[in-house]
Amino acid sequence: MLTVLLALSSGVSALVPLFEARRPRHALMEKPWRVAVSGAGGQTGQSVFRKMLARPAEFAPLGLVRSEASREALIASGVPAEAVAVTDVTDPAAVKAAVTSCDAMVICTSAKPAPTGETDETLTQTLILALEPEPEPDPEAEAEPEPEP
């Protein structure tokens, strides 16, 4: 199950302790937590993303950005290329594909994900729905129907 947190610009510094509180103690010792950060090219998302990058023993963040230009800007600033992915956050399949290796996600994406300035009030809902696990197959539904006598 993926843990999802919403980041507000006023609460960035509170996110790292929140992750630690939600993560089982034994998991802290095993490996860094893989966390996708949507909006990693923006002000709030970049702050969250960089705070996690600064704690490599605890976090292995994946910054999700909407354009190759944002990706290149982060790489030029010293962020490892493998830590940044261009992803269309309005496409649930693209989000799901991008975060398959992640333990958690911090949603820092603006309500205006397109450069046009259009507001998409369903964006956060779309991101969360994209992260829901696939339903388990129903063995009874897959069973062949018995022939009628």
Side-chain angles (χ1 to χ4, degrees), residues 47-121:
S47 179
V48 170
F49 182 52
R50 289 185 184 280
K51 283 179 185 282
M52 289 184 177
L53 282 169
R55 298 173 78 166
E58 299 165 56
F59 300 104
L62 173 64
L64 304 181
V65 296
R66 71 175 173 215
S67 70
E68 190 60 40
S70 290
R71 180 179 186 276
E72 292 301 323
L74 286 171
I75 293 168
S77 73
V79 173
E82 64 275 5
V84 187
V86 177
T87 306
D88 179 358
V89 296
T90 64
D91 178 357
V95 173
K96 188 170 274 200
V99 302
T100 55
S101 67
C102 295
D103 303 306
M105 181 171 190
V106 179
I107 300 174
C108 301
T109 309
S110 165
K112 298 179 182 181
T116 61
E118 290 181 37
T119 300
D120 181 357
E121 295 173 356

